[in-house]
Amino acid sequence: EAGVVQSPRYKIIEKKQPVAFWCNPISGHNTLYWYRQNLGQGPELLIRYENEEAVDDSQLPKDRFSAERLKGVDSTLKIQPAELGDSAVYLCASRPHGGTGELFFGEGSRLTVL
Amino acid sequence: KNEVEQSPQNLTAQEGEFITINCSYSVGISALHWLQQHPGGGIVSLFMLSSGKKKHGRLIATINIQEKHSSLHITASHPRDSAVYICVLGGGADGLTFGKGTHLIIQP
């Protein structure tokens, strides 16, 4: 069975450009997380979904970041416009439901903003 | 909010040594996860624990619910075990709480 799939693995853009990351969670997993991880630090939650509902987006910088999970399956995280400080690894994770069960992470999408 | 402390923050050991990484927390939880992250790599879930002990190959994880403490052990450590090991608490409505991680280096 495929794990959590993320794309792209790497992205280099200039500041003020838009960027989007895609995540396909494990089949049947209702809970989906987007995290941002800066170099040498732990992951920071951006948004958590239960099916298509964003149940925790309090840490999402809504002026430039947006996310969607329209059919409660795969999800997209967008940054527009990107800033230098957005350079980080964006991690997607999923769990079966209700924030319970085994936790699975994708490989991450490494963003470099020049 | 649940507080989580991992120790040690950094650990360097020789190949073959027995490794222990600790995780303590302040509020009762439903589950605890141990994750592994190699430099530049993604995160792999090693264990999810709600009680007792689990073993997978050379890795052993234990949890004591009453003492609010978990340990991750590595037997016969190998340089490929070099990674950051992260303790993660909880789930459910409260989401996840990440420890700061333990940077482990196993020297040949």
Side-chain angles (χ1 to χ4, degrees):
Chain A
E1 180 185 359
V4 177
V5 179
Q6 288 188 246
S7 67
R9 285 294 312 278
Y10 304 93
K11 188 74 175 180
I12 301 174
I13 60 172
E14 294 187 344
K15 63 181 181 182
K16 301 185 181 179
Q17 294 299 306
V19 63
F21 305 110
W22 176 79
C23 173
N24 191 14
I26 289 176
S27 178
H29 280 195
N30 295 340
T31 305
L32 184 147
Y33 306 85
W34 279 104
Y35 284 91
R36 176 170 58 188
Q37 186 175 27
N38 292 305
L39 189 64
Q41 299 184 19
E44 299 173 330
L45 179 68
L46 292 172
I47 190 167
R48 174 166 65 105
Y49 282 96
E50 287 297 331
N51 299 304
E52 66 274 12
E53 181 184 359
V55 297
D56 185 356
D57 63 354
S58 57
Q59 302 301 313
L60 188 72
K62 297 181 182 66
D63 57 336
R64 297 182 300 106
F65 285 65
S66 64
E68 61 183 16
R69 194 185 183 199
L70 293 175
K71 297 182 178 179
V73 180
D74 55 345
S75 176
T76 302
L77 177 70
K78 297 179 181 178
I79 308 174
Q80 183 171 11
E83 297 178 354
L84 295 176
D86 296 330
S87 295
V89 176
Y90 292 84
L91 295 162
C92 179
S94 73
R95 301 177 80 180
H97 56 81
T100 62
E102 190 105 25
L103 181 63
F104 293 87
F105 280 85
E107 290 287 322
S109 295
R110 182 177 296 276
L111 173 65
T112 301
V113 182
L114 303 176
Chain B
K1 182 181 175 181
N2 212 341
E3 300 291 331
V4 56
E5 284 194 19
Q6 273 189 246
S7 63
Q9 286 189 339
N10 298 284
L11 177 59
T12 300
Q14 294 298 120
E15 183 173 358
E17 287 189 37
F18 182 81
I19 303 300
T20 296
I21 299 170
N22 296 299
C23 177
S24 296
Y25 51 94
S26 57
V27 178
I29 56 173
S30 58
L32 181 147
H33 305 260
W34 282 102
L35 310 177
Q36 179 193 57
Q37 186 172 32
H38 283 99
I43 294 178
V44 175
S45 179
L46 300 175
F47 296 102
M48 184 182 76
L49 294 165
S50 54
S51 65
K53 174 180 173 179
K54 287 189 176 180
K55 184 176 188 290
H56 184 251
R58 296 180 295 105
L59 301 177
I60 303 167
T62 64
I63 188 168
N64 185 317
I65 299 297
Q66 288 72 32
E67 294 187 1
K68 298 183 177 63
H69 181 268
S70 176
S71 293
L72 176 68
H73 306 284
I74 305 174
T75 61
S77 59
H78 190 276
R80 64 175 174 267
D81 297 326
S82 298
V84 176
Y85 293 85
I86 307 170
C87 167
V88 183
L89 309 180
D94 294 331
L96 300 169
T97 302
F98 284 74
K100 292 187 183 299
T102 294
H103 293 248
L104 174 65
I105 297 173
I106 304 297
Q107 295 178 334

